Amino acid sequence: MRINETDGVSASSKHLVFAYYVTGHGFGHATRVVEVVRNLISAGHDVHVVTGAPDFVFTSEIQSPRLFIRKVLLDCGAVQADALTVDRLASLEKYSETAVAPRKSILKDEVEWLNSIKADLVVSDVVPVACRAAADAGIRSVCVTNFSWDFIYAEYVMAAGHHHRSIVWQIAEDYSHCEFLIRLPGYCPMPAFRDVIDVPLVVRRLHKSRKEVRKELGIEDDVKLLILNFGGQILSNSSAYPVSISDMQPAGWKLKEEYLPSGWKCLVCGASDSQLPPNFIKLPKDAYTPDFMAASDCMLGKIGYGTVSEALAYKLPFVFFYQGGVEMIRRDLLTGHWKPYLERAISLKPCYEGGINGGEVAAHILQETAIGKNYASDKLSGARRLRDAIIFGYELQRVPGRDVSIPEWYQTAEDELGLSASRSPPCTPEGDSTVKFTEDFEILHGDCQGLPDTMSFLKSLVELDIIKDSDRTPEKRQMRERKAAAGLFNWEEEIFVARAPGRLDVMGGIADYSGSLVLQMPIREACHVALQKISPSKQRLWKHALARHNDKGQGPMPVLQIVSYGSELSNRGPTFDMDLSDFMDEGKPMSYEKAKKYFDTNPSQKWAAYVAGTILVLMTELGVRFEDSISMLVSSAVPEGKGVSSSASVEVASMSAIAAAHGLNIHPRDLALLCQKVENHIVGAPCGVMDQMASACGEANKLLAMVCQPAELLGVVEIPSHIRFWGIDSGIRHSVGGADYGSVRAGAFMGRKMIKSTASGMLPQSLPSSNGLNNIEPEVDGVELLEAEASLDYLCNLSPHRFEALYAKNIPESIVGEEFSKNYGDHNDPVTVIDPKRTYFVRAPVCHPIYENFRVKAFKALLTAAASDDQLTSLGELLYQCHYSYSACGLGSDGTDRLVQLVQEIQHSKVSKSKDGTLFGAKITGGGSGGTICVIGRNSLRSSEQVLEIQQRYKDATGYLPLIIEGSSPGAGKFGHLRIRRRSVSLKPNQ
């Protein structure tokens, strides 16, 4: 439903009492609440505002005895390290501390308070628990917002660990008690709310004219005036409170006079008491921002509802830092490279003509609702709304185009968010594909090997040139990355294309870092990278990169420019660029530690470490120097967060393309080891090497066998024709950078150190004494075994029987980091660090790789046995044992456990037994804690039907339709690379 801007608030004959809850995140919520509250009070009603924001935000606009401010904080929003950086894990932990732990007492207090003020309606922007408290008090509730915290926290959960997902569930449950949503412009999908009323922008009114404000400031009309606004209220690690820009800025950052173009002045909102340059003017902390915005020529700041809505209303050009206005990259903000952005901004002619009386309209709806009008439909229950909301966070991460049974509500959300676009750009019609490609490109080296995804990717390159030549506008949701990609390449120069698949972890998993044998299957889905090495004078630079060079007075110099498709699925920026000279530090490649900090600076571009990090590794490890510019387009169909090595495929494809373009002949095994350095040291994820090895060295329809010590390839193992493997995605995001994976790895290395210490202590007892006799009678070669175990390099070199006989009893279930360090020193793992205050599980992380190595060897041997039910049953049992060993380590998940249970139910069903069962086992894969399971079964139609049955039963139970991964494709080494060149336009027919 849409309410147009002519609807307003008229005085009601009935005096009403509203309880208005305001979230603890940012001033934007509080400032828009001010406008709604002002209209309610003007209509003669009492409004009790529950907020953590300073009083002046409300009292500067509303002076009325009908306004009551209650200082209570019931949620926390996002915890930010500075104005530009959200700490996802800290946000979830802070919300748990603020709203989850004290939930029972919060509800009790709020119900008592609501009854005490005799509230007629509860309004929330957008505090979850307020809706539940209203329901418990028997009072109707309405939300007014452009986003909801279940949507925001769903992404945080995927980034910070599945163990926090109950927070999203609880928030969704709270919102389900809300009667309907008054939705503000600039909204994201909010599936918890089934009934929606759209209103115009909510904007605070002006108190003074532009001329009055400038006169008070002593600023002439011809002076260009910038207003710097990072937002007002940020949540610290202790409480919500207003802070200054200097408090929230990155460490060591100071405003400088030269940041502004000549003749400009800048108004600074929330400036601290520290000295500002002479062309910067500090505004009071309680300054009424709309007046100063309307008096300015341009705004520079963090994007948020309040700043955007008021910039639109007052037609103020806006240079912002997140994804109109002009977008500034964080690096240019911090280095003071503002001039080209400001000059571009003031050349714009803002022309927003939409309604700006949303506060009045919303107040009218709230008044009518409190009187008794029913805006909500009764067609869907709260339980249905709850189910929709719970699965939404997981649905965000599915691969688009694979789910043919999307609920109607989610299809709408897809249209709004842009998820229904495929990862690859639009292509020409299927019947015309091959001809179209051969007409436009010449393959100078390599072979597509009949891979349909490669042909599709090549067609997408043709489409980019069509977009560039015809100025055709891509779909809105693809616009930013498609426009950037269309201008990425010089079509007169050669382009190199590399391809690297993801992998399905059949056996081995997390035991790779302990030296286990692993068996990995490269999957059908892959990452493609198109790369052009080009002279800096010929490279097509993006405007801000060109402006950066011009501002420094530099001529053409090597620049790296990257476009990554699929950014809308992962809440990240679609582009990245840097001067390649930034990788140099005093004439040498910068350290990996400095590189990690470099990429960590901007969270929305942290993904670039996987791609650009390959360049630094080649510089550091092989001494390669890059004199030319590099343009890269990354397009991956490997689903992220599913435990199928999406990151490894990006690294391997990127390094393969770079190597091909620069004439580097790197063996696939060596390339995989180099890519592992990217992930371990530049990205900072403590993974083993099997992912990169499978992506680089795998072969289609075969298992890559490798002993991870560190990477001894044993060749490939044929998959018998009667056996097939599937992957089934649980919908729970997996990350090897997560806390669970890292702590389990650390626990394994701690246990190895304990075993070495025990073996060293036993050695003196096994050596001859001074009288020539042994203190203890050793077993045959016992001394040699103990000596090997005292210098144990990999846990998997210890056999299960030796572990049980000599060491198991000395390995504790867990140990505190501080105690371990005191007793054993360093755990000797180069990629994890022991937290002194953390408790680490040790026994299970040690047992798993020791026994997993044995299981993988048995599995490999069984694959060559005669085909029989016993063979399949034994193979399946090994997968089950591996799965439950993961769980013992703390790396299981509800979703993967449910999928494995469904496999067992089908395997042991009467129907399956009577018809020669076809599924025999399953296990969680990769780093665990969600992601994908691997299923083994007969290679038959019945098996595929049963996998589809599991998919549907999982969807019936959870609402999430799993992605099924099947099929295989060659690794990067077998694919090689393509070298292509755009045919001359004059040679193309029909032109």
Side-chain angles (χ1 to χ4, degrees), residues 386-582:
L386 170 60
R387 180 191 145 200
D388 289 351
I390 287 174
I391 66 171
F392 182 61
Y394 302 128
E395 288 284 320
L396 280 174
Q397 295 301 309
R398 69 177 185 82
V399 174
R402 302 292 179 84
D403 187 341
V404 296
S405 181
I406 305 171
E408 176 268 335
W409 69 263
Y410 187 69
Q411 186 64 58
T412 302
E414 275 198 317
D415 293 341
E416 295 166 0
L417 186 62
L419 294 184
S420 59
S422 64
R423 286 176 178 262
S424 297
C427 301
T428 52
E430 193 63 36
D432 184 39
S433 60
T434 303
V435 175
K436 181 67 177 175
F437 169 71
T438 55
E439 286 178 354
D440 283 278
F441 284 106
E442 178 183 1
I443 299 181
L444 305 174
H445 172 88
D447 182 1
C448 293
Q449 302 182 22
L451 294 167
D453 61 338
T454 300
M455 292 299 298
S456 178
F457 179 69
L458 295 175
K459 288 187 293 181
S460 76
L461 297 181
V462 176
E463 183 71 14
L464 290 179
D465 199 17
I466 292 173
I467 293 172
K468 176 181 70 69
D469 289 341
S470 64
D471 292 326
R472 193 176 79 189
T473 302
E475 295 181 49
K476 183 176 180 180
R477 57 178 164 251
Q478 302 171 339
M479 186 177 298
R480 298 181 70 235
E481 58 189 35
R482 298 296 185 265
K483 286 180 67 176
L488 188 63
F489 298 120
N490 183 325
W491 297 104
E492 297 179 357
E493 303 290 330
E494 295 178 351
I495 296 173
F496 293 79
V497 176
R499 177 190 185 278
R503 64 96 188 94
L504 182 64
D505 167 34
V506 175
M507 286 293 287
I510 60 166
D512 63 342
Y513 56 68
S514 293
S516 178
L517 172 67
V518 297
L519 298 174
Q520 308 295 308
M521 184 181 80
I523 61 177
R524 180 177 57 193
E525 292 78 9
C527 172
H528 286 84
V529 171
L531 180 145
Q532 187 171 76
K533 182 187 74 167
I534 190 168
S535 168
S537 61
K538 294 182 179 180
Q539 187 181 29
R540 300 166 57 94
L541 285 180
W542 293 323
K543 289 182 179 179
H544 67 266
L546 182 61
R548 182 171 68 242
H549 288 185
N550 291 340
D551 195 49
K552 294 178 180 179
Q554 296 172 329
M557 58 185 303
V559 173
L560 171 65
Q561 295 186 148
I562 308 170
V563 175
S564 174
Y565 286 155
S567 60
E568 73 279 2
L569 297 176
S570 304
N571 193 30
R572 55 179 167 82
T575 64
F576 173 83
D577 71 278
M578 64 178 293
D579 296 339
L580 285 173
S581 59
D582 289 348

Side-chain angles (χ1 to χ4, degrees), residues 398-399 402-403 504 523-525 639 642 644 724-731 899 932-933 935 943-952 954 960-967:
R398 69 177 185 82
V399 174
R402 302 292 179 84
D403 187 341
L504 182 64
I523 61 177
R524 180 177 57 193
E525 292 78 9
K642 308 299 186 186
V644 289
R724 189 169 187 176
F725 297 100
W726 295 263
I728 307 178
D729 161 44
S730 67
L899 284 171
T932 297
I933 69 163
V935 180
S943 295
S944 296
E945 291 172 347
Q946 289 181 331
V947 169
L948 291 174
E949 180 182 347
I950 290 170
Q951 181 190 44
Q952 187 58 47
Y954 188 82
Y960 176 77
L961 186 69
L963 168 69
I964 295 176
I965 296 170
E966 57 183 331

Side-chain angles (χ1 to χ4, degrees), residues 583-754:
F583 272 145
M584 299 301 291
D585 184 9
E586 297 182 353
K588 300 183 297 184
M590 71 163 59
S591 69
Y592 292 149
E593 182 181 7
K594 286 186 177 180
K596 184 177 184 302
K597 291 179 180 178
Y598 179 92
F599 289 107
D600 285 348
T601 300
N602 187 347
S604 70
Q605 293 186 324
K606 188 175 179 179
W607 61 267
Y610 294 98
V611 183
T614 61
I615 293 176
L616 180 61
V617 167
L618 290 172
M619 293 170 64
T620 303
E621 306 298 329
L622 301 186
V624 181
R625 293 295 178 264
F626 296 91
E627 305 297 336
D628 290 317
S629 290
I630 298 174
S631 298
M632 301 177 72
L633 174 62
V634 181
S635 177
S636 181
V638 183
E640 296 179 30
K642 308 299 186 186
V644 289
S645 299
S646 59
S647 59
S649 65
V650 169
E651 293 156 356
V652 171
S654 298
M655 188 172 288
S656 297
I658 293 168
H662 292 82
L664 305 176
N665 186 17
I666 306 175
H667 189 277
R669 175 186 179 276
D670 298 329
L671 186 139
L673 289 170
L674 291 170
C675 289
Q676 185 196 18
K677 290 183 181 293
V678 175
E679 188 136 3
N680 285 173
H681 303 302
I682 299 178
V683 176
C687 69
V689 73
M690 73 174 189
D691 296 357
Q692 290 81 5
M693 282 291 179
S695 186
C697 306
E699 296 185 25
N701 301 306
K702 298 176 183 179
L703 301 181
L704 181 71
M706 179 180 68
V707 176
C708 301
Q709 299 189 16
E712 180 187 344
L713 292 174
L714 303 184
V716 294
V717 179
E718 296 283 348
I719 300 175
S721 59
H722 66 287
I723 292 177
R724 189 169 187 176
F725 297 100
W726 295 263
I728 307 178
D729 161 44
S730 67
I732 299 174
R733 187 177 178 88
H734 149 88
S735 171
V736 296
D740 293 337
Y741 178 92
S743 66
V744 171
R745 173 171 175 146
F749 278 82
M750 293 162 93
R752 187 191 67 163
K753 188 66 174 285
M754 293 175 183

Side-chain angles (χ1 to χ4, degrees), residues 14 54 66 94 125 184 194 259 266 292 299 376 482 491 501 648 733 736 756 785 854 891 908 961:
K14 182 179 179 181
R66 296 186 180 278
K94 190 67 179 180
D125 184 356
L184 306 180
R194 292 297 303 173
Y259 286 6
C266 178
F292 292 99
M299 180 162 65
R482 298 296 185 265
W491 297 104
R733 187 177 178 88
V736 296
K756 292 171 67 174
L785 283 172
F854 178 81
L891 293 177
H908 300 304
L961 186 69

